[in-house]
Amino acid sequence: MLKINPEVVKALKENKPVVALESTIISHGMPYPKNVKTALEVEKVIRDHGAIPATIGIIDGDAIVGMTPEEIEEFGKRKGILKASRRDLPVVYAKKYWAATTVATTMIIAAQAGIKLFVTGGIGGVHRGAQETFDISADLQELAKTNVTVVCAGAKAILDLPLTLEYLETMGVPVLGYKTDELPAFYTAHSGLKVDYKLDSAKDAALAMKEKERNNLSGGILITNPIPEEYSMDKEVIDNAINKALEMMKKEGIKGKETTPFLLKTIVELTGGDSLESNIKLVLNNALVGSEIIKEYCKLK
């Protein structure tokens, strides 16, 4: 079911660094045309730092690994694109739908293609109130079983971060901080929560990836990379926006896979667009760090 861009095929065969990218951020994370502009900027950062980008999405039931600029453009403006997690894939493939890949599905398809590292903004996790709703992102289970390293700015700040860390610990997922010993909180660099280990360099991260692989330890590695301080939001401002968005979500009865897109969109509106700009900056920073890590990994092969 995979259609892999020839550039990506060639890079993988020649042991050149390849970075996977998701498509939910294009179709469900940002308005057009900013979504397309951001997706292409992220790809450019990866190229500028010596790696090959592979944006992943599903078009007419085919998993595309390494979308073209034209495909990204169409993905950004097309209406009705589904948001597909693991459970959606059989029907999405069978019905020949267009679908955007979440963190979980991007990991699945990247692993099938032989790509070792994936860059995103923030992962899903345990939602606030999950003790009653059991609303826990499939991203966490995927990290426990799929052999792809994920570079992110932590879990999305709309989530219950302490419970998300607890869940990852239970599932045996290493949560590592890139040049930090604290879990980033997406829009801000600090959460007050400790990661398992601090990585001092891209080479440290690459060595951890290699040793996990060499010792046949299944599952992913989560590398959390703080948003640069100059783009970090004021904690009180973003916390107030998140709390208000959560109240609005509850009032409107939003549940399930619509939760995250609703909250992120509402927070953008409540912060006058500031949260969207922070989101863009942290994704670009993750792309830079991910490129450096996978370059070091390829040197170890």
Side-chain angles (χ1 to χ4, degrees):
M1 298 298 294
L2 299 187
K3 288 188 175 179
I4 307 178
N5 189 306
E7 180 188 28
V8 175
V9 172
K10 184 173 185 290
L12 291 171
K13 282 183 177 178
E14 296 176 358
N15 189 38
K16 291 182 179 177
V18 177
V19 175
L21 299 165
E22 60 161 294
S23 48
T24 296
I25 197 171
I26 305 172
S27 62
H28 294 78
M30 299 179 189
Y32 180 81
K34 190 178 284 285
N35 52 359
V36 172
K37 181 174 181 288
T38 300
L40 296 176
E41 283 180 353
V42 173
E43 288 205 344
K44 184 177 186 299
V45 167
I46 290 168
R47 290 189 186 281
D48 288 348
H49 287 84
I52 304 297
T55 299
I56 293 174
I58 300 171
I59 296 177
D60 292 328
D62 290 323
I64 310 298
V65 182
M67 293 166 67
T68 65
E70 293 75 21
E71 288 169 334
I72 290 172
E73 175 75 24
E74 181 63 23
F75 230 83
K77 63 185 181 183
R78 188 183 183 98
K79 303 297 183 183
I81 290 180
L82 301 176
K83 179 183 176 185
S85 192
R86 172 181 277 270
R87 69 174 185 173
D88 303 293
L89 289 178
V91 174
V92 167
Y93 289 152
K95 293 282 191 179
K96 307 295 183 186
Y97 289 142
W98 283 57
T101 57
T102 61
V103 168
T105 42
T106 305
M107 289 182 72
I108 292 166
I109 295 168
Q112 290 171 343
I115 299 172
K116 302 291 185 180
L117 184 137
F118 158 45
V119 161
T120 187
I123 62 163
V126 179
H127 282 263
R128 302 184 191 200
Q131 298 92 326
E132 287 78 35
T133 65
F134 282 81
D135 191 351
I136 300 172
S137 172
D139 296 352
L140 302 187
Q141 283 281 344
E142 211 59 55
L143 278 160
K145 60 191 172 190
T146 300
N147 297 324
V148 173
T149 293
V150 179
V151 178
C152 67
K156 295 180 176 71
I158 57 176
L159 303 168
D160 188 317
L161 299 184
L163 287 187
T164 298
L165 272 185
E166 288 288 350
Y167 194 98
L168 288 167
E169 179 185 359
T170 299
M171 301 310 296
V173 178
V175 180
L176 311 179
Y178 187 75
K179 299 183 179 180
T180 181
D181 59 4
E182 188 175 349
L183 180 74
F186 197 65
Y187 299 114
T188 59
H190 305 288
S191 68
L193 303 168
K194 296 295 183 183
V195 294
D196 297 329
Y197 298 97
K198 177 183 177 182
L199 300 169
D200 293 318
S201 66
K203 185 174 182 180
D204 278 353
L207 287 168
M209 289 171 63
K210 189 65 179 176
E211 286 303 315
K212 184 185 76 67
E213 187 177 86
R214 190 172 69 87
N215 287 281
N216 296 313
L217 297 169
S218 61
I221 293 176
L222 189 65
I223 297 177
T224 61
N225 178 43
I227 183 174
E229 286 289 352
E230 61 266 34
Y231 304 121
S232 182
M233 293 195 66
D234 180 273
K235 189 176 187 304
E236 185 176 351
V237 170
I238 194 61
D239 284 349
N240 287 339
I242 290 170
N243 290 333
K244 189 168 183 180
L246 287 165
E247 289 174 11
M248 294 169 67
M249 180 190 74
K250 187 174 181 180
K251 187 176 181 181
E252 295 188 28
I254 306 293
K255 295 180 180 178
K257 66 169 66 177
E258 300 305 318
T259 298
T260 298
F262 173 84
L263 288 173
L264 294 179
K265 179 176 181 293
T266 304
I267 291 165
V268 169
E269 293 167 358
L270 292 172
T271 60
D274 288 350
S275 66
L276 180 57
E277 292 307 311
S278 289
N279 194 345
I280 291 169
K281 295 298 186 183
L282 68 84
V283 173
L284 293 171
N285 187 47
N286 291 343
L288 187 161
V289 169
S291 299
E292 295 302 320
I293 291 171
I294 197 62
K295 282 194 299 184
E296 291 294 334
Y297 174 86
C298 287
K299 293 176 186 176
L300 299 173
K301 297 287 279 185

